[in-house]
Amino acid sequence: MEHRQLGRSGLMVSEITYGNWLTHGESVGRDAALACVRTALDCGVTTFDTADVYAQGAAEELLGEALGGVRRSSVEIATKVCLPTGDGPNDRGLSRKHVMESCHASLRRLGTDYVDLYQAHRFDERTPLEETLVAFDDLVRQGKVLYIGVSEWTAPQIEAALRMAGELGLRSRIVSNQPQYSMLWRVIEPEVLPLCLREGIGQLAFQPLAQGVLTGKYRPGQAPPEGSRATASGRAPRFVSRVLGSGLLERVARLRPVAEDAGLSMAQLAIAWVLRQPGVSATVIGASRPEQVTENATAAGVRLEDEVLERVDKVLGEMVDRDPSKTARMMAVEPDWRA
């Protein structure tokens, strides 16, 4: 496993970061979740990503249990705050009240005194940006958070936060952004990536496999395989349905020779593609079985040649979405993508 700096910060993260959205506590049981985390550790993964809203806290609890016997300083734990965690009016958003209370709750569930990276899961239009930034800065000053980041923020939102942090003289500064990013979904490239490259903000790219479609497991004209996310419990099938259109699956199937010529599985090709892009510090992978973790982790350190990137672009062609207005709108896919 190789490691990279998270943006221009001093924090090193593993190229493959293990995340548990839609898996731990939802579509994956306790024993399988613990086995996946153990396998990730065996593969050299040191960075683990979760959120307070994943399975309404159960994902954080499972991750905390899985890392319980691991030396705390040997791993990097990232979590998030913003999306609804309850029915109350203050159980969501980025108000000082919710940020503080959610952080303390996450620390209890994770069984740790601090998180390495605390991320604003979405932008909150209702809360003054100054209030949010000061709350995050206070958590850093208290030692409960080491670094701060955002997820699925637009370029103007990130730029405004950087400017305000400077004007307020805050100690903490955004060091990371966690966007959806894959061969197919490149909406951060026109605006978000250039800003982040300029400002030294690293990308923790999630959904590099586009909900599994880039593994090649879903075939045009065939029912989804048993055991896949498309047949799982919970919310997973809803998200997978965005990428099961026959036109998209037929185009993805043409990537198989590209992967084979590179000596990679289709999943490894997709992950290596993301890691090859400028400004990417790590890619966040999820898994329901330990063997998936092992296969995906093998993509660390792979350096794709320019010719491979060109072949990918030629195969996918107009299927690639680069519309920056779709940042934080993951369901706004093209009609040809949908089942």
Side-chain angles (χ1 to χ4, degrees):
M1 181 59 59
E2 297 195 12
H3 288 70
R4 300 181 180 185
Q5 278 183 272
L6 184 56
R8 281 204 297 262
S9 77
L11 182 64
M12 302 296 290
V13 293
S14 52
E15 283 190 345
I16 305 298
T17 291
Y18 184 84
N20 60 7
W21 175 51
L22 297 179
T23 53
H24 295 188
E26 190 163 340
S27 62
V28 176
R30 175 182 175 276
D31 291 345
L34 297 181
C36 285
V37 173
R38 285 194 295 268
T39 301
L41 291 166
D42 290 342
C43 290
V45 172
T46 63
T47 310
F48 295 84
D49 178 76
T50 186
D52 57 358
V53 73
Y54 295 170
Q56 293 299 296
E60 286 184 326
E61 291 177 351
L62 274 169
L63 181 59
E65 180 182 355
L67 296 177
V70 178
R71 181 166 55 91
R72 178 62 183 88
S73 59
S74 67
V75 294
E76 304 82 46
I77 299 176
T79 192
K80 311 179 195 73
V81 57
C82 184
L83 300 182
T85 54
D87 296 328
N90 288 307
D91 292 336
R92 66 197 66 204
L94 296 175
S95 68
R96 180 178 182 85
K97 176 178 175 62
H98 186 55
V99 167
M100 290 296 183
E101 292 176 348
S102 184
C103 181
H104 295 151
S106 290
L107 293 177
R108 286 195 300 271
R109 288 190 290 263
L110 289 164
T112 182
D113 296 327
Y114 68 95
V115 290
D116 299 272
L117 179 65
Y118 202 37
Q119 303 157 99
H121 209 157
R122 293 293 186 273
F123 189 82
D124 181 6
E125 299 282 357
R126 301 179 308 167
T127 301
L129 184 56
E130 177 179 351
E131 178 179 337
T132 298
L133 295 177
V134 170
F136 271 73
D137 193 61
D138 286 345
L139 288 171
V140 172
R141 291 172 185 269
Q142 294 167 12
K144 296 171 183 174
V145 170
L146 302 188
Y147 298 88
I148 64 171
V150 299
S151 177
E152 293 280 76
W153 282 28
T154 66
Q157 291 165 350
I158 296 172
E159 194 166 30
L162 294 173
R163 182 175 61 252
M164 183 169 289
E167 293 171 352
L168 295 173
L170 301 182
R171 178 178 299 179
S172 55
R173 187 178 189 274
I174 294 170
V175 302
S176 68
N177 175 48
Q178 186 169 146
Q180 181 185 181
Y181 192 33
S182 71
M183 292 177 179
L184 291 167
W185 187 263
R186 309 186 197 180
V187 302
I188 64 170
E189 290 183 347
E191 297 176 0
V192 171
L193 264 183
L195 169 67
C196 290
L197 284 167
R198 186 169 67 249
E199 297 292 342
I201 296 173
Q203 307 300 305
L204 297 173
F206 74 94
Q207 286 198 49
L209 302 178
Q211 286 293 308
V213 71
L214 290 174
T215 66
K217 72 173 70 174
Y218 301 107
R219 304 294 181 92
Q222 297 182 19
E226 287 298 322
S228 66
R229 286 196 177 190
T231 62
S233 59
R235 297 170 300 154
R238 170 172 170 257
F239 288 98
V240 179
S241 68
R242 299 173 307 141
V243 288
L244 294 183
S246 58
L248 181 64
L249 294 182
E250 288 170 2
R251 194 68 64 92
V252 169
R254 300 180 202 170
L255 290 172
R256 191 172 298 278
V258 181
E260 292 173 349
D261 290 347
L264 303 169
S265 69
M266 289 182 68
Q268 291 164 347
L269 173 67
I271 292 170
W273 183 93
V274 172
L275 290 171
R276 179 70 158 70
Q277 305 310 306
V280 172
S281 297
T283 183
V284 183
I285 61 112
S288 56
R289 300 186 301 277
E291 55 268 28
Q292 293 174 329
V293 180
T294 302
E295 178 184 357
N296 294 340
T298 308
V302 173
R303 298 295 179 262
L304 299 178
E305 299 294 333
D306 289 343
E307 178 189 1
V308 177
L309 303 183
E310 292 168 2
R311 290 181 67 187
V312 168
D313 287 346
K314 186 175 181 180
V315 167
L316 296 179
E318 74 282 358
M319 284 291 178
V320 174
D321 200 329
R322 296 183 174 87
D323 183 355
S325 71
K326 294 182 178 180
T327 302
R329 296 171 56 214
M330 66 170 60
M331 302 303 289
V333 298
E334 297 295 326
D336 287 345
W337 284 31
R338 289 188 176 276

